Amino acid sequence: MGKTLVHRMRMRSKRYIALHLRFEPDMLAFSGCDYGGGEKERNELGAIRKRWKTLHKNNPDKQRRQGKCPLTPEEVGLMLRALGYGSDVHIYVASGEVYGGEETLRPLKSLFPNFYSKDTIATKEELAPFSSFSSRMAALDFIVCDESDVFVTNNNGNMARILAGRRKYFGHKPTIRPNAKKLYRLFLSRSNMTWEAFASRVRTFQRGFMGEPKEVRPGRGEFHENPSACICEDSEAREKATTYSRGKKNGKLDDSSRKKEVIVSDDQNDYDDNDEPRWPDLDDDENQVWPQEKLHYNGTGSDYDAVISDEPELEEMLSD
């Protein structure tokens, strides 16, 4: 069924973006963030949040400053447009129940009218064997996201991390996760700047968050996020490491070896865990040039970290 969904997306467009949109009421309530819905939103999400007695009261502004709030559908759409993806791009949205329903999705759909989900490209009869099982429905979305030309997420949950690692291992396909820490202030001040200025700053903030092969050094993050640490190690790298090790042991390091050592050290010192993700981390016109082909990518990644909880219900809710 997953392959069928992928085929139907390819029939609509040669290339497509897949967006994993975590914006369910439970997810938002747990985050403790403010999404602009006023008193009504605070009351509704506050009531849901009371299910977990161990959760302390959060400061919404602090949560967003720290990059712990998933982007809204509109913010994801604006980010993609700023990165160069046009309104003619076809987008597949993998999500559960979106808080606010169609009203919440309307801005994203206006930015990307070619908007699809498994419910729009498959019949109820076709989805019937899966619809009673959330994990099976998630598996269908996983397959379509994995096969997409560009994968985007508004969070940094387990499904996003696993997909990032898988796409990195099987050919380094673009995986965009928003740099939520940097973007939040930009979204707040968007009305005070031109679109060109806004788009330029988005591209700047997103460097290092686009799923490029060497965005994060081997060994950073979890293995399923950054499999290159050992699986992708090539023979040339092993040979260089062996040569360096022998030279150091014998006290013989030529100038080139010393230079390489310094370069590696500098790269390590430049890495900032606070600004980069833990993982090492479309259309009908066949000749259409995608942003990554024009711009070398403009990186994305979210600092939103899934929280491990002792409460099974909470852990299950955050599992993907």
Side-chain angles (χ1 to χ4, degrees):
M1 189 64 211
K3 290 181 179 179
T4 298
L5 296 177
V6 172
H7 176 71
R8 289 175 184 172
M9 286 301 298
R10 297 286 183 207
M11 292 292 288
R12 288 166 170 78
S13 174
K14 183 180 178 181
R15 307 193 210 185
Y16 69 91
I17 288 177
L19 166 62
H20 183 222
L21 184 65
R22 291 302 307 275
F23 213 70
E24 303 91 339
D26 284 356
M27 175 77 164
L28 304 189
F30 177 79
S31 73
C33 299
D34 186 342
Y35 298 94
E39 192 65 25
K40 179 176 180 290
E41 176 191 290
R42 285 191 288 273
N43 290 337
E44 291 176 348
L45 298 185
I48 297 174
R49 191 174 173 83
K50 289 178 181 177
R51 296 178 187 172
W52 303 292
K53 298 178 181 178
T54 57
L55 292 183
H56 57 78
K57 186 175 181 179
N58 284 342
N59 181 325
D61 291 334
K62 183 179 179 181
Q63 290 290 99
R64 189 167 286 273
R65 284 197 305 272
Q66 293 178 344
K68 294 182 178 180
C69 300
L71 267 59
T72 68
E74 180 180 17
E75 289 171 341
V76 174
L78 289 170
M79 178 189 71
L80 289 174
R81 291 297 293 273
L83 291 173
Y85 295 100
S87 60
D88 56 346
V89 165
H90 286 59
I91 183 168
Y92 176 92
V93 177
S95 69
E97 175 195 357
V98 173
Y99 178 70
E102 282 300 312
E103 184 178 350
T104 300
L105 291 173
R106 190 175 296 117
L108 176 60
K109 288 184 175 182
S110 67
L111 291 168
F112 294 97
N114 297 306
F115 181 103
Y116 306 97
S117 68
K118 57 183 173 295
D119 297 303
T120 64
I121 60 175
T123 65
K124 288 184 178 180
E125 290 73 23
E126 288 175 315
L127 294 176
F130 314 95
S131 57
S132 297
F133 306 90
S134 60
S135 58
R136 296 183 188 180
M137 294 290 271
L140 293 178
D141 281 337
F142 184 98
I143 294 168
V144 183
C145 289
D146 185 43
E147 291 293 327
S148 66
D149 298 277
V150 176
F151 172 61
V152 186
T153 181
N154 72 328
N155 75 101
N156 199 26
N158 292 335
M159 180 167 164
R161 290 177 177 183
I162 292 171
L163 273 164
R166 179 177 170 82
R167 290 169 67 86
K168 183 179 179 68
Y169 180 64
F170 289 104
H172 301 296
K173 292 190 289 185
T175 300
I176 302 175
R177 286 190 280 182
N179 185 350
K181 272 189 177 182
K182 297 288 182 67
L183 290 178
Y184 102 94
R185 288 188 182 278
L186 189 56
F187 286 127
L188 289 178
S189 58
R190 182 171 61 90
S191 59
N192 300 323
M193 65 180 74
T194 64
W195 172 256
E196 290 73 20
F198 172 78
S200 176
R201 294 190 69 182
V202 168
R203 290 193 292 269
T204 298
F205 293 155
Q206 291 304 120
R207 291 196 186 107
F209 291 84
M210 297 294 278
E212 293 184 78
K214 297 180 180 179
E215 277 184 354
V216 176
R217 291 187 294 103
R220 286 281 182 175
E222 308 253 347
F223 171 75
H224 63 275
E225 299 177 86
N226 189 10
S228 62
C230 59
I231 290 182
C232 300
E233 184 180 37
D234 59 24
S235 56
E236 183 182 355
R238 283 196 298 271
E239 183 179 347
K240 287 180 180 178
T242 303
T243 302
Y244 175 79
S245 178
R246 288 173 180 168
K248 194 170 184 179
K249 183 177 181 180
N250 297 327
K252 298 177 180 179
L253 281 178
D254 58 25
D255 291 339
S256 62
S257 296
R258 293 181 186 279
K259 186 175 181 181
K260 289 174 184 174
E261 180 183 15
V262 171
I263 290 173
V264 170
S265 298
D266 288 343
D267 287 343
Q268 292 172 354
N269 291 334
D270 287 342
Y271 185 89
D272 186 347
D273 281 318
N274 293 324
D275 289 338
E276 297 197 24
R278 291 174 54 200
W279 53 282
D281 209 314
L282 282 217
D283 211 65
D284 302 320
D285 184 356
E286 192 167 316
N287 298 317
Q288 179 183 354
V289 179
W290 277 41
Q292 65 265 30
E293 295 169 358
K294 293 187 294 184
L295 304 174
H296 242 263
Y297 306 133
N298 304 307
T300 312
S302 166
D303 293 349
Y304 184 84
D305 293 321
V307 178
I308 303 301
S309 169
D310 293 331
E311 302 185 49
E313 180 190 357
L314 181 58
E315 193 166 340
E316 181 180 355
M317 185 269 287
L318 291 170
S319 64
D320 63 345

